[in-house]
């Protein structure tokens, strides 16, 4: 029989090597065999940290499933594994970020006690430096710089560099999830502040959060960074109706908690379906690797910006056997003197045969200027035409949507190459007010040109 102290030493050695074993040794009431999903989470986080070359890990989990707790345990274990690393954590406000930081600091700084296992028993060489142990910013012994900083979108990260950035539940409530201003603030905070503080050739960003909106931080990271993102998703209710973990949230309690809750929020928080996906007009577009063989003509449709809040949207596309293959997009809210040149360059580079410009709100003058710029380039192939659009925009978009989703194909990587175009299409809702409709409007016009040319609502004229 193996003596107890030998078993304990073996467990401590496993805890030094594996995140899950660390969690199970420190918190056996939470990390146990009947919760296998927690082992999966820990193993995947560790594999990403030490073996995956991608930069971003997004973990979407329902509330009260030890998401934040595991994030904190990972930071503790990470410092034990390598005390030279520098970690920055971010939460939705200073209070929560400081609470997160204090738990990590106090765990590392626990004083050994007879019969009680503490952090130092597992990682004896990792200790908080005396005199540099404020709740939100502190250093480890042996480090010449601060090792840890806790911050938030309203906080600061000035003067601190990090190898690991851990973001925990950045959205507070549904009101924030519905606010484009708040979501944009979170994105700006990540891209302009947090990412600018990364250092080392193995920096990583870990995002632990429940899903809220398509444009929340998790969604924006997935859309913007594509192949650099590892995504792990856990739903409270599985596809077969069973629960992710009965000992954490059983069906009876789930039904009770969500009985009077907004259905959209239930689906987002518990089942990781963003609140704006259910009601959006378009599903995911199919991407193509190479243009198909066959007879084709390359067209363009351009909708100039009607007001200061609108975007110019110019789409080049090939029509092949009734299908549309988007080849290039110019989408910007810059001034006309800039966009005229951008559109002319796109038409010329893409060898477009015919371009139609909506003549409403100055579009005719815009098309003439583009035609002039094409001639200055020596391009006389592209025929530029203007067309007034008098049909109801929303009706056109809704009518064309089913065809558009079946017959319009996007080039691989279009999400990153044309971010505003992608954002508008994926955010457009079937019901309710839409902030922008420039991209859906152009696809509706392409539908009329390709699928219903005799019923098109515009009369084409040469520019």
């Amino acid at each position: 029989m193996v003596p107890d102290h030998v078993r304990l030493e073996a467990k401590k050695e496993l805890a030094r090597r594996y995140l899950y074993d660390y969690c199970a040794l420190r918190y056996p009431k939470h990390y146990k065999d009947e919760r296998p999903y927690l082992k999966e989470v820990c193993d995947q986080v560790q594999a990403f940290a030490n073996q995956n070359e991608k930069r971003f890990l997004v973990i979407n989990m329902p509330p009260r499933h030890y998401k934040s707790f595991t994030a904190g345990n990972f930071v503790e274990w990470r410092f034990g594994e390598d005390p030279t690393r520098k970690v920055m954590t971010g939460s939705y406000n200073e209070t929560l970020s400081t609470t997160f930081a204090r738990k990590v600091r106090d765990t590392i700084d626990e004083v050994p006690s007879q019969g009680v296992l503490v952090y130092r028993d597992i990682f004896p060489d990792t200790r908080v430096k005396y005199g540099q142990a404020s709740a939100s910013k502190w250093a480890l012994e042996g480090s010449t710089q601060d090792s840890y900083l806790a911050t938030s979108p309203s906080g600061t990260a000035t003067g601190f560099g990090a190898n690991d950035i851990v973001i925990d539940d950045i959205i507070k409530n549904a009101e924030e999830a519905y606010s484009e201003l708040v979501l944009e603030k979170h994105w700006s905070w990540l891209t302009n502040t947090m990412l600018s503080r990364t250092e080392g050739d193995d920096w990583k960003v870990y995002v632990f959060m429940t899903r809220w909106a398509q444009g929340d931080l998790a969604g924006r990271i997935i859309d913007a960074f594509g192949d650099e993102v590892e995504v792990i998703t856990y739903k409270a209710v599985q596809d077969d109706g069973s629960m992710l973990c009965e000992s954490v949230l059983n069906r009876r309690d789930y039904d009770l908690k969500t009985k009077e809750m907004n259905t959209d929020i239930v689906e987002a928080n518990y089942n990781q379906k963003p609140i704006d996906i259910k009601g959006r007009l378009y599903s995911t577009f199919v991407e193509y690797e190479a243009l198909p063989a066959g007879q084709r003509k390359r067209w363009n449709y351009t909708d100039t910006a009607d007001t200061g809040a609108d975007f110019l949207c110019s789409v080049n596309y090939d029509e092949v056997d009734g299908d549309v293959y988007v080849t290039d997009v110019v989408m910007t809210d810059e001034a006309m003197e800039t966009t005229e040149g951008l559109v002319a360059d796109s038409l010329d580079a893409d060898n477009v045969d015919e371009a139609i410009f909506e003549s409403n709100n100055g579009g005719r003058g815009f098309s003439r200027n583009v035609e002039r710029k094409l001639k200055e380039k020596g391009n006389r192939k592209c025929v530029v035409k203007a067309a007034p659009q008098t049909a109801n925009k929303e009706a056109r978009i809704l009518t064309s949507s089913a065809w558009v989703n079946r017959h319009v194909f996007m080039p691989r990587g279009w999400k990153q190459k044309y971010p505003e175009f992608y954002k508008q299409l994926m955010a457009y809702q079937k019901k309710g007010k839409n902030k922008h409709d420039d991209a859906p409007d152009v696809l509706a016009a392409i539908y009329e040109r390709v699928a219903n040319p005799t019923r098109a609502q515009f009369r084409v004229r040469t520019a």
Side-chain angles (χ1 to χ4, degrees), residues 371-399:
E371 185 176 37
R372 175 177 53 80
K373 290 180 178 293
L374 284 170
K375 289 178 179 178
E376 290 173 355
K377 293 175 175 291
N379 184 328
R380 297 181 180 275
K381 174 190 176 184
C382 183
V383 177
V384 176
K385 299 180 178 181
Q389 181 56 258
T390 58
N392 179 275
K393 183 183 291 188
E394 184 177 1
R396 292 169 59 239
I397 291 171
L398 292 175
T399 300

Side-chain angles (χ1 to χ4, degrees), residues 8-18 25 122:
L8 179 59
E9 289 303 318
K11 288 181 179 179
K12 288 194 288 187
E13 181 58 33
L14 287 173
R16 296 181 190 107
R17 298 183 185 185
Y18 304 106
L25 183 58
I122 303 171

Side-chain angles (χ1 to χ4, degrees), residues 35 62 81 123 160 185 225 233 237 254 282 286 346 374:
R35 295 175 180 174
E81 182 193 42
F123 297 111
F160 188 87
K185 180 181 178 181
F225 297 108
T233 301
V237 182
Y254 170 80
Y282 303 105
V286 175
S346 174
L374 284 170

Side-chain angles (χ1 to χ4, degrees), residues 42-301:
C42 290
D43 289 348
Q44 290 178 98
V45 171
Q46 182 175 349
F48 177 81
N50 294 335
Q51 300 168 19
N52 198 316
E53 294 185 357
K54 296 182 181 181
R55 295 296 191 184
F56 299 87
L57 173 65
V58 173
I59 299 183
N60 298 137
M61 294 172 62
R64 315 310 302 167
H65 277 68
Y66 300 95
K67 176 176 65 273
S68 298
F69 194 51
T70 300
N73 292 339
F74 167 67
V75 175
E76 298 166 9
W77 180 83
R78 191 70 158 157
F79 277 136
E81 182 193 42
D82 184 358
T84 66
R85 294 191 75 80
K86 298 166 68 178
V87 177
M88 182 160 54
T89 61
S91 300
Y92 71 78
N93 64 25
E94 290 296 296
T95 300
L96 191 62
S97 64
T98 300
T99 300
F100 188 105
R102 185 180 289 112
K103 189 263 182 186
V104 174
R105 182 201 63 184
D106 291 350
T107 296
I108 294 175
D109 217 23
E110 282 176 322
V111 177
S113 177
Q114 185 66 32
V116 178
L117 181 77
V118 297
Y119 181 89
R120 202 170 295 179
D121 293 325
I122 303 171
F123 297 111
D125 297 329
T126 302
R127 302 188 181 190
V128 177
K129 183 181 292 187
Y130 179 77
Q132 295 188 35
S134 69
S136 60
K137 189 177 183 180
W138 37 266
L140 295 176
E141 287 186 0
S143 175
T144 58
Q145 298 177 312
D146 289 318
S147 304
Y148 183 97
L149 174 69
T151 187
S152 72
S154 60
T156 180
T158 303
F160 188 87
N163 310 117
D164 297 305
I165 293 177
V166 179
I167 298 173
D168 174 55
D169 267 343
I170 198 66
I171 294 179
K172 179 172 63 175
N173 52 35
E175 183 179 355
E176 288 193 354
Y178 282 107
S179 171
E180 287 195 17
L181 182 63
V182 170
L183 299 183
E184 188 61 37
K185 180 181 178 181
H186 292 166
W187 181 243
S188 178
W189 170 68
L190 174 73
T191 56
N192 296 330
T193 300
M194 301 296 271
L195 292 186
S196 69
R197 311 315 305 170
T198 56
E199 62 181 39
D201 58 5
D202 62 345
W203 61 267
K204 303 274 188 177
V205 177
Y206 307 78
V207 180
F208 295 79
M209 65 182 289
T210 56
R211 286 308 304 267
W212 284 92
Q214 180 72 5
D216 64 19
L217 193 62
R220 292 287 293 271
I221 289 173
I222 293 168
D223 288 343
F225 297 108
D227 293 339
E228 286 287 351
V229 186
E230 188 77 23
V231 182
I232 300 171
T233 301
Y234 287 93
K235 301 185 295 183
V237 182
Q238 305 302 288
D239 293 338
D240 63 1
S242 64
M243 304 303 292
L244 172 62
C245 183
E246 284 283 344
S247 69
V248 175
L249 180 65
N250 60 48
R251 186 71 201 208
R252 179 188 176 192
D253 285 346
Y254 170 80
D255 290 340
L256 184 63
K257 289 180 178 182
T258 61
K259 184 178 181 180
E260 298 299 324
M261 191 180 293
N262 183 296
T263 302
D264 290 345
I265 295 176
V266 172
E267 286 300 298
N269 279 197
Y270 284 94
N271 298 316
Q272 313 310 310
K273 297 177 182 177
I275 54 179
D276 45 2
I277 281 184
K278 184 177 179 181
R280 73 185 187 187
L281 185 61
Y282 303 105
S283 59
T284 303
F285 285 86
V286 175
E287 299 182 13
Y288 68 87
E289 294 281 355
L291 290 168
Q295 192 171 9
R296 75 188 68 236
K297 190 168 184 179
R298 184 155 293 181
W299 311 92
N300 166 276
Y301 191 91

